[in-house]
């Protein structure tokens, strides 16, 4: 079943995770804002309670526990329309109080267009793996960030 349930904000990518651990999946949208929309049930989201976090025209996002504290964090891959490839990835740290624009880690990137979070070495927490695909700067490096249990990358 395909259901159009989010006409605005326009999103370039999305991720689904239970960010507030209430048993309902929440929606993360990458776009002109990094938007977190609380889930209220199966395929139900409270857009009127959405939290907008600062990003630079994010084109990709993912969510996972990156610091080992049991709270899923959110990663945004930024984009600026090709003016420069030296943009930062934004990791927003979750806490019992939720997300805040002041709890953000910036990681270097070089033309990343997407990211994936996973555990590459069976040693939690997860690893952020921003990726660059094709285009005129295909020679830019790929970064893999290995995190520590303290959330250090």
């Amino acid at each position: 079943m395909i259901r159009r349930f989010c006409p605005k904000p326009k999103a370039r990518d999305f991720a689904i995770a239970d960010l507030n651990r209430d048993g309902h999946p929440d929606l993360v949208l990458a776009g002109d804002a990094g938007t977190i929309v609380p889930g209220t049930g199966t395929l139900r989201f409270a857009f009127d309670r959405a939290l907008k976090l600062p990003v630079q025209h994010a084109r990709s996002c993912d969510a996972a526990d990156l610091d080992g504290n049991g709270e899923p964090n959110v990663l945004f891959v930024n984009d600026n329309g090709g003016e420069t490839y030296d943009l930062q990835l934004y990791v927003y740290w979750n806490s019992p109080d939720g997300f805040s624009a002041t709890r953000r880690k910036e990681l270097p990137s070089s033309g990343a267009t997407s990211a994936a979070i996973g555990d590459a070495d069976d040693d939690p927490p997860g690893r952020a793996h921003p990726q660059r695909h094709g285009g005129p700067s295909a020679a830019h490096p790929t970064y893999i960030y290995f995190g520590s249990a303290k959330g250090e990358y």
Side-chain angles (χ1 to χ4, degrees):
M1 171 174 65
I2 297 174
R3 179 184 289 184
R4 182 177 177 193
F5 59 90
C6 101
K8 289 191 178 187
K10 292 184 180 177
R12 294 178 187 92
D13 192 19
F14 71 95
I16 296 175
D18 185 5
L19 300 174
N20 56 8
R21 301 188 319 175
D22 66 355
H24 302 296
D26 304 305
L27 185 62
V28 180
L29 302 171
D32 291 337
T35 305
I36 297 175
V37 185
T40 60
T42 303
L43 291 178
R44 298 192 189 281
F45 300 96
F47 284 90
D48 59 327
R49 295 190 345 236
L51 171 66
K52 294 184 185 258
L53 296 168
V55 296
Q56 294 178 5
H57 309 290
R59 61 183 303 150
S60 183
C61 60
D62 205 350
D65 181 6
L66 293 172
D67 55 6
N69 70 352
E71 304 280 347
N73 307 294
V74 176
L75 168 74
F76 291 102
V77 175
N78 289 308
D79 179 41
N80 71 347
E83 293 176 22
T84 180
Y85 292 105
D86 297 322
L87 294 170
Q88 303 292 312
L89 305 172
Y90 291 170
V91 175
Y92 283 97
W93 303 110
N94 199 350
S95 77
D97 297 326
F99 291 90
S100 167
T102 61
R103 284 192 314 279
R104 176 176 83 190
K105 172 80 172 180
E106 297 183 10
L107 299 172
S109 170
S110 183
T113 57
S114 65
I117 298 174
D119 187 2
D121 61 0
D122 292 328
D123 182 21
R127 309 306 186 229
H129 181 197
Q131 302 172 344
R132 169 90 187 130
H133 299 285
S137 65
H140 285 254
T142 295
Y143 290 88
I144 299 176
Y145 289 99
F146 290 88
S148 73
K150 295 178 184 177
E152 297 167 344
Y153 284 83

